[in-house]
Amino acid sequence: MNRKKYEHHFTEFAEKYWPNETADDPQFYTWFIAQAIAESALKPSAVSLVGACGIMQIMPATWRDIRMYLPHLPKDIFDVRANIEAGIWYDRYCWDRFPQIENPLERLLFALAGYNCGPSRVRKLITASGAKTYAEIEPRLPRETQTYIKRILKFRDSLLT
């Protein structure tokens, strides 16, 4: 796993789609590297058992949807640069689904959970529970999503040390 090989893509697209966050935290892009490690161990040719593809493990139907918003992306879901851009853009899309969460870190965790199990599923859980923190909603999330978030947090910590 060679994070340096792709780091410039993560930096570029974090700055493009998360300009305020990257201005406040120059290491913000490491959230997305940690996510990609959790998703694919940074393997551009990875395909999950359910068919998610590439370094950011994007489902083909989601890829088609993202390409409607980002028509400059190639059709090739395995294009590393495009896959990273689409994944970081989709993280932002998920973030935008949770304006009621005021704390930026909590909102990011909700967005990452939404990336994994679907933003509408997370929104329904927030509405049903009134949760304002990730800890409040975590037990209601699928076990896979709980593990996914724990892995991202662990990988990000290791990237910062």
Side-chain angles (χ1 to χ4, degrees), residues 7-145:
E7 191 164 336
H8 62 286
H9 297 312
F10 288 99
T11 304
E12 174 187 356
F13 297 118
E15 289 172 357
K16 181 175 182 177
Y17 296 111
W18 299 79
N20 295 334
E21 293 77 12
T22 55
D24 291 344
D25 176 5
Q27 300 296 310
F28 190 79
Y29 72 95
T30 59
W31 281 106
F32 308 117
I33 294 174
Q35 180 183 25
I37 294 168
E39 288 285 359
S40 69
L42 292 175
K43 293 179 184 163
S45 61
V47 179
S48 75
L49 295 174
V50 297
C53 300
I55 203 164
M56 297 297 285
Q57 289 293 277
I58 300 171
M59 293 296 289
T62 304
W63 179 258
R64 286 188 295 276
D65 291 345
I66 292 170
R67 286 185 65 241
M68 290 192 306
Y69 293 97
L70 304 176
H72 65 277
L73 294 181
K75 289 183 180 176
D76 182 7
I77 195 171
F78 292 102
D79 179 288
V80 173
R81 185 174 189 278
N83 194 279
I84 292 170
E85 179 176 6
I88 293 174
W89 179 90
Y90 190 66
D91 280 322
R92 187 61 193 217
Y93 173 87
C94 291
W95 165 279
D96 290 342
R97 311 281 72 78
F98 308 111
Q100 71 276 36
I101 306 302
E102 294 177 16
N103 180 291
L105 176 58
E106 297 294 339
R107 190 172 177 184
L108 180 60
L109 295 176
F110 282 114
L112 293 168
Y115 187 104
N116 181 261
C117 71
S120 61
R121 185 174 192 175
V122 175
R123 281 181 59 118
K124 287 176 188 170
L125 291 172
I126 291 170
T127 301
S129 68
K132 296 288 183 194
T133 67
Y134 178 76
E136 292 172 324
I137 205 168
E138 182 183 32
R140 300 168 184 260
L141 291 168
R143 178 81 49 213
E144 175 191 335
T145 303

